[in-house]
Structures are given as C-alpha cells and as structure tokens.
Amino acid sequence: MLLTPISVKSQEVLNDIQDQINQYNQKLAELSKAKDTLSNQIKYLDSQVALTQLKIRQTQETIIILEKEIQELSVRIDKLDQNLNHLSVVFIENVNHNYKIHKKTPPLIYLLTQKLNKFVDEYKYLKTVQKNNQDLLIELETARTNFDLQKQQ
C-alpha cells in the first residue's frame, strides 16, 4: 500500500492515540490496585472513560484513512476502466480490419503477384498488433480485478 502525505499524517495521529491508550492502560492497571479510596475509584473511572474515548477516536481516524484509500482506489479503477474500454474498442477495430483484409484479398492472389513481401509484412504486423492488444487487455483486466479486490478489503 502506498503512503500518501495524508495517510502519513493520519498514521502519526493514530500512533499518538495508541501511545495515549497505552498510557491509560498502564494508569488503569496502577489504579486498579489502589481503588480502596473513593478518590482513587473516581480516578479509575475517569481513566476508563478517557480510554474509551481514545479508542473511539482511534476507530474514527482509521475509518477516515480507509475512506480516503477507497476514494483513491475508486478513481484509479475508474481510469483503468476507461482505458480498458478504449483498448477494447481498438482491439475490436483491429480484429474487424484484419478480417476485412482477409476477406477482400485472398492469399492466393497475393501469391501470384509481386507484392508477396508486402502482404507477408502486413500480415505479420497485424498479427503482432492483435497479439499485443490481446496481451494488454489481459493485463488491464488483471489490474482491474486486483484493484476491485483491494477495494473490497
């Protein structure tokens, strides 16, 4: 997970809260041994209230961090989705173009002409473009799936 300046600051806040929680836990442990007096019982209860408030604040900070991460992932997924849709359109156009070339010009005609080299080069190029587009679509779909899984977590 990449840390942005916002999440670094948020992580520092969480660390501070955790330190305070640890201090209150220690204080509660000390006061629980000496809760004989009414004053100590009040201090003990005050410490429990403060500890509960800190735990609530810690949970709220964690929720804020997770919401920001979800928003960032949503933006990335949307961009990836747009790119994948564009590449799908390009891939379909390439497949159509390749099909039309094969339909219009049967290979036998090219064998009888002097343009055999050009035909072979174009054919190889189209196959290479088609393969590259296919590979790229698979990679983008894998990335989109990974982002979706990350978003669900």
Side-chain angles (χ1 to χ4, degrees):
M1 184 181 336
L2 298 174
L3 293 179
T4 60
I6 294 171
S7 57
V8 170
K9 182 180 177 186
S10 297
Q11 191 61 42
E12 289 173 0
V13 170
L14 283 176
N15 289 340
D16 290 343
I17 292 171
Q18 186 60 48
D19 290 342
Q20 290 176 359
I21 287 172
N22 292 338
Q23 290 173 358
Y24 276 105
N25 279 330
Q26 183 180 1
K27 189 175 182 179
L28 285 171
E30 292 170 6
L31 291 174
S32 68
K33 295 175 187 173
K35 59 178 169 178
D36 295 335
T37 67
L38 185 59
S39 172
N40 283 341
Q41 287 179 348
I42 292 172
K43 288 179 185 175
Y44 182 80
L45 291 175
D46 286 344
S47 295
Q48 281 185 321
V49 168
L51 176 63
T52 303
Q53 289 173 339
L54 282 172
K55 287 182 179 180
I56 290 169
R57 186 170 165 219
Q58 182 182 38
T59 302
Q60 289 171 335
E61 289 293 327
T62 302
I63 290 170
I64 289 169
I65 290 170
L66 291 174
E67 286 174 344
K68 288 176 184 175
E69 289 176 0
I70 288 171
Q71 288 174 349
E72 289 173 6
L73 285 174
S74 294
V75 169
R76 290 171 66 187
I77 288 172
D78 288 342
K79 287 180 183 177
L80 182 64
D81 196 33
Q82 290 172 359
N83 289 339
L84 187 58
N85 288 339
H86 174 71
L87 286 174
S88 296
V89 168
V90 170
F91 178 71
I92 290 169
E93 288 173 358
N94 285 340
V95 168
N96 286 336
H97 180 69
N98 194 14
Y99 176 76
K100 288 176 184 177
I101 286 177
H102 279 15
K103 267 308 208 194
K104 286 182 181 177
T105 54
L108 184 56
I109 293 174
Y110 276 105
L111 290 175
L112 301 174
T113 66
Q114 295 178 353
K115 298 181 181 181
L116 178 62
N117 286 337
K118 183 178 178 184
F119 169 74
V120 171
D121 290 341
E122 285 179 7
Y123 182 78
K124 286 179 183 178
Y125 172 76
L126 288 173
K127 284 295 184 185
T128 303
V129 167
Q130 190 176 17
K131 176 70 174 134
N132 288 341
N133 285 341
Q134 230 174 359
D135 292 344
L136 188 57
L137 281 171
I138 290 170
E139 287 178 28
L140 285 171
E141 188 60 37
T142 302
R144 182 180 11 195
T145 302
N146 290 339
F147 280 129
D148 285 341
L149 289 174
Q150 197 174 18
K151 187 176 181 180
Q152 290 174 359
Q153 292 175 353

